Amino acid sequence: MSVIPRNLPPTGVLLLGLAVPAPGLAEPPPVTTGSLIREMVDLRRLAELPDPSYRTVQFSSYDRRSRFPSQPGWFANSDGFGGEPIPNFEEVLREPGEDGIGEYLICDLEGPGAVVRVWTARIEGTLRVFLDGSREPLYDGPAQDFLQRTYEALSPSAAGPFDGTYSQAEAGYYPLPFAKRLRMEWEGSLAKLHFYQIQVRLYEPGARVTSFHPDDLVTYETDIAEVAQILAAPGEEWAYGSSRKPVEITATVTAGEEKELLLLEGPGAVERLTLKVQARNVDEALRQAILHIVFDESPRGQVQAPIGDFFGAAPGINPFDSVPFTVAADGTMTCRFWMPFRRSARITVENRGGEPLTVTGSALLADYAWSDDRSLHFRARWRVDHDMEASETLPKDVPYLLARGQGVFVGAAALIMNPTSVPSSWGNWWGEGDEKIYVDDDESPSTFGTGSEDYFNYAWSSSRIFTHAFCGQPRNDGPANRGFVTNYRWQVVDALPFRERFDFFMELFSHEPVPGFSYARIAYHYGDPKIVDDHMPLTDRDVELPRLPDSWMPAGRKYTEGTVFLQVEDIVEGQPATSFEEGALWAGGRLLVWHPGQVGDELVFTVPVAEDGEYNLALTAARRPGSGSFSASLDGAPLELNGSTEAVGLAVPHRMLSRNFKSPSVKLSAAAHTLTLRSEGPGDIGIDFVWLRPTPR
């Protein structure tokens, strides 16, 4: 392979050495617990058709009324809350008794295969897992323990950094291979919560698979520990295969210009691509600078996406660390997806913005022998729909990727702007909709989910910031789920191979109508040179960075029905040390910022109550770097916020967040009440507005 680094002095061609032997010539080794664990940090194998081949399917508690798009019930949403009109299982094994407890079949599969991911938002009852027809269950215990913390459930005495590694958000990733059969049964009450997702690989007949045995926890303990260490901090712990010196990249791209960053002659591969964008307005540049990656002279580049969205960082820089991508707080963005090519690879950046930008970085190149039978090109397809209306009455299937040919799907990211004026999760949640994935000859989706956040491995419309090796929410502005929201999920051990067809839809199903909704998403996959998909060239309108309304006021609907919202500048007492900051994130377009001089300073508000009753008192505050902490009292008594009377710390790294802090129900008379905030630590405190919500009876 040779490389001609662009925008550097043309000093010649760099020879990178001989190619490695072609893959797939020898019979693959047997699939074991250890080999599956190592696959969790092996990105190279995703660039080739799997050997042995397999198909990944999902069993879940989706609403069984959802059959076909043209039939009633397609958007039905009873998927584990209890009381479903049709039991959310494959079969009823034992009808419920007088205690309401019955037995239900989750799955019963002939092997060989492997469980590669499990998830639950919450599930009552008992789960039993049987392998290879054994009458004795491998696991017989609380369903939630197994579905969220599989490794710990199988090895309760194990010690090590496993939270956030084999368990990520609400999902479990510890793999369980089986040679002949997998059967899962659930015992519990259909009236209680029972959400679940089980992802299983089904290997081709004759594939050699060694079934999981409890001894594997000891046999592969070194692999388990080493992989967990990488999953905990991929950016620091990742071991690259190539020993080549990275090729430096630097380019200044003027408005309207497309500039070549790198031209490579093959065969070879890009093992790591690192880029950083500098511009007057970096957020806009990350959306309006289009990254093009073209392999083997394809007339349509296999990658065409805004550069920030490609790295999962958008909008703006939102730091996270995962297996294929790491985004640092200084804007350095790294991709570790393996990118092989036969003849050439060309990387360019197109500036659709109105200002110049500079791109710097490097590429780590590796030797690779292209196989016409197995090798695949890396592909990333980005698309956006602006000015949509999210709705609960008119949900819609939003396409992520429609492809024909063969390849492997390896993940997706959703990058949305939700301009709702309701400040609470029940009311401003956008993601009630399910993922629906068709593979090859599916008549109905072989992956049918239970909610958008469930696909991304979390639950309950959570606004928390979290990042893991395979999933994360690196941005969620708030309050609750208002503003810009970014979710990612990388399907590495749970990748989805396809031979003829791959169609991925995600329902857009919100709690209430929200006009002006912007929904960007990117689908990452590998495909052979004959693959075709539904990608459309990007327009200037596509890459406009959506903006929140310049001014909004919180609305009383759903959870906030009947709530009185008080702007803090209208109820603050005296003349405290305060100032205002403007921004579309804040109600009325501005945030009151209190500058306490020392610990113990107080900020006092007068809260008028019109009628005697029970209320939840809440305030919406700014969380950002350098913020201080406070405690609260109401009429001189300590006020519990979000379940604690301890000081509320508002400082977070890297981000600007709007977050709600709510009290339990308190009795208030029709009078003026005093809400006091006391500074408990250095730093400014931003308060947006105060709520007074009647407690439902």
Side-chain angles (χ1 to χ4, degrees):
M1 177 173 59
S2 60
V3 54
I4 306 173
R6 295 302 174 178
N7 309 303
L8 295 176
T11 55
V13 173
L14 175 64
L15 298 178
L16 291 189
L18 300 175
V20 296
L25 297 180
E27 182 181 14
V31 175
T32 66
T33 302
S35 70
L36 290 169
I37 287 169
R38 291 188 293 272
E39 282 192 25
M40 298 175 78
V41 292
D42 180 4
L43 295 178
R44 186 185 188 279
R45 65 175 180 82
L46 298 175
E48 298 170 355
L49 292 172
D51 186 15
S53 66
Y54 64 86
R55 172 185 173 91
T56 304
V57 298
Q58 179 168 285
F59 295 86
S60 80
S61 56
Y62 77 93
D63 194 315
R64 275 13 184 210
R65 292 173 295 175
S66 301
R67 297 293 303 280
F68 301 104
S70 60
Q71 294 184 357
W74 183 240
F75 295 107
N77 195 39
S78 293
D79 51 16
F81 291 97
E84 289 80 8
I86 302 174
N88 304 54
F89 297 92
E90 298 299 295
E91 183 182 339
V92 178
L93 300 176
R94 177 172 60 83
E95 293 288 348
E98 293 184 1
D99 59 359
I101 304 298
E103 292 184 7
Y104 305 89
L105 180 67
I106 289 179
C107 63
D108 191 357
L109 296 168
E110 296 294 329
V115 179
V116 289
R117 171 187 171 268
V118 293
W119 167 94
T120 185
R122 195 172 303 150
I123 187 168
E124 307 286 341
T126 298
L127 181 70
R128 299 185 184 95
V129 180
F130 302 87
L131 298 185
D132 297 339
S134 172
R135 293 185 178 183
E136 293 299 319
L138 168 70
Y139 177 81
D140 185 353
Q144 184 157 319
D145 289 356
F146 184 89
L147 295 181
Q148 290 186 342
R149 302 288 182 267
T150 313
Y151 178 80
E152 293 88 336
L154 295 171
S155 182
S157 62
F162 302 121
D163 188 36
T165 58
Y166 297 109
S167 302
Q168 299 181 29
E170 316 304 324
Y173 275 100
Y174 190 79
L176 296 176
F178 55 94
K180 298 178 181 179
R181 188 179 182 187
L182 168 70
R183 183 178 175 91
M184 290 190 178
E185 301 173 358
W186 179 73
E187 182 179 8
S189 170
L190 292 178
K192 297 182 178 180
L193 294 172
H194 52 270
F195 293 92
Y196 68 88
Q197 293 182 8
I198 314 290
Q199 276 193 289
V200 184
R201 287 186 187 181
L202 292 177
Y203 289 100
E204 62 187 345
R208 295 187 299 156
V209 176
T210 302
S211 296
F212 173 85
H213 188 276
D215 289 347
D216 290 355
L217 298 166
V218 176
T219 302
Y220 300 109
E221 62 181 349
T222 299
D223 296 294
I224 293 168
E226 289 178 352
V227 169
Q229 187 174 357
I230 296 170
L231 294 174
E236 296 179 7
E237 301 293 337
W238 196 264
Y240 295 97
S242 175
S243 59
R244 305 294 176 182
K245 181 180 179 180
V247 178
E248 298 300 318
I249 294 172
T250 182
T252 297
V253 190
T254 60
E257 181 184 19
E258 182 174 355
K259 185 163 285 188
E260 191 172 88
L261 302 182
L262 204 61
L263 179 63
L264 309 173
E265 295 180 2
V270 178
E271 186 176 1
R272 183 189 70 217
L273 177 65
T274 297
L275 298 175
K276 181 178 182 179
V277 174
Q278 295 173 295
R280 185 182 63 84
N281 186 324
V282 173
D283 285 13
E284 287 192 353
L286 289 169
R287 176 57 66 90
Q288 296 175 351
I290 311 303
L291 179 68
H292 299 269
I293 305 179
V294 181
F295 300 112
D296 296 331
E297 297 91 40
S298 170
R300 300 178 68 198
Q302 286 87 347
V303 173
Q304 184 187 42
I307 196 167
D309 295 58
F310 172 78
F311 287 94
I317 291 295
N318 301 284
F320 70 92
D321 193 17
S322 73
V323 162
F325 291 106
T326 296
V327 175
D330 69 354
T332 302
M333 304 175 292
T334 296
C335 173
R336 285 180 282 272
F337 273 124
W338 190 271
M339 303 182 194
F341 50 93
R342 181 177 183 179
R343 294 181 300 277
S344 66
R346 182 172 180 259
I347 302 176
T348 69
V349 168
E350 176 190 5
N351 185 356
R352 296 280 188 94
E355 300 284 342
L357 58 89
T358 299
V359 181
T360 57
S362 66
L364 178 62
L365 311 178
D367 298 324
Y368 182 81
W370 181 272
S371 166
D372 289 336
D373 294 329
R374 308 206 66 84
S375 297
L376 305 170
H377 289 128
F378 177 70
R379 304 165 67 86
R381 294 310 202 195
W382 180 89
R383 65 180 71 200
V384 66
D385 290 287
H386 297 304
D387 302 318
M388 299 180 76
E389 180 173 81
S391 174
E392 62 180 337
T393 57
L394 293 172
K396 51 187 69 70
D397 288 324
V398 176
Y400 274 51
L401 176 68
L402 309 181
R404 299 295 178 268
Q406 61 180 352
V408 180
F409 183 80
V410 295
L415 313 109
I416 72 168
M417 190 275 286
N418 181 14
T420 176
S421 58
V422 176
S424 63
S425 291
W426 182 32
N428 74 13
W429 176 234
W430 58 273
E432 282 296 324
D434 309 330
E435 81 273 15
K436 301 167 179 175
I437 301 175
Y438 301 82
V439 176
D440 296 337
D441 59 354
D442 285 346
E443 292 186 358
S444 58
S446 54
T447 296
F448 203 136
T450 53
S452 302
E453 79 270 49
D454 308 345
Y455 172 77
F456 294 108
N457 282 340
Y458 64 110
W460 303 117
S461 59
S462 174
S463 61
R464 77 184 189 275
I465 300 296
F466 68 95
T467 65
H468 296 300
F470 297 144
C471 62
Q473 182 166 240
R475 180 164 184 175
N476 189 314
D477 292 350
N481 295 283
R482 182 181 185 271
F484 289 99
V485 178
T486 298
N487 288 176
Y488 68 80
R489 175 169 161 206
W490 318 133
Q491 298 194 223
V492 178
V493 71
D494 54 326
L496 297 170
F498 54 95
R499 287 286 185 175
E500 298 175 355
R501 168 198 181 201
F502 185 86
D503 293 346
F504 184 134
F505 298 92
M506 184 81 78
E507 297 172 352
L508 177 56
F509 190 154
S510 63
H511 278 177
E512 68 161 23
V514 182
F517 193 95
S518 178
Y519 198 143
R521 61 270 189 203
I522 185 167
Y524 303 87
H525 59 292
Y526 286 87
D528 74 7
K530 299 183 291 296
I531 196 171
V532 295
D533 61 38
D534 62 336
H535 177 69
M536 294 292 291
L538 306 186
T539 68
D540 289 346
R541 171 63 178 133
D542 289 340
V543 299
E544 289 181 8
L545 185 64
R547 301 186 185 282
L548 285 167
D550 290 334
S551 182
W552 71 287
M553 296 300 291
R557 296 190 292 273
K558 294 291 195 291
Y559 177 83
T560 57
E561 184 76 29
T563 297
V564 174
F565 296 101
L566 304 169
Q567 291 299 106
V568 289
E569 59 267 31
D570 297 333
I571 59 173
V572 67
E573 291 187 2
Q575 295 181 333
T578 59
S579 62
F580 288 98
E581 294 182 8
E582 296 184 352
L585 192 59
W586 316 118
R590 63 179 190 171
L591 173 76
L592 182 139
V593 182
W594 174 37
H595 313 281
Q598 60 185 0
V599 173
D601 282 0
E602 294 183 344
L603 184 67
V604 180
F605 301 107
T606 299
V607 179
V609 176
E611 297 181 3
D612 293 350
E614 294 192 5
Y615 296 87
N616 299 109
L617 187 67
L619 54 88
T620 299
R623 301 199 68 189
R624 54 187 179 174
S627 290
S629 60
F630 70 91
S631 58
S633 61
L634 182 63
D635 296 331
L639 183 66
E640 180 181 313
L641 294 175
N642 290 0
S644 175
T645 57
E646 299 295 321
V648 175
L650 296 175
V652 294
H654 318 309
R655 300 170 174 88
M656 176 80 77
L657 307 173
S658 175
R659 290 294 184 264
N660 299 322
F661 299 90
K662 305 174 187 176
S663 79
S665 180
V666 293
K667 289 185 177 181
L668 296 176
S669 60
H673 296 265
T674 300
L675 172 65
T676 303
L677 305 187
R678 182 183 187 275
S679 172
E680 300 291 355
D684 294 340
I685 294 171
I687 305 295
D688 195 11
F689 53 92
V690 172
W691 316 16
L692 194 63
R693 172 183 176 265
T695 304
R697 296 178 180 176

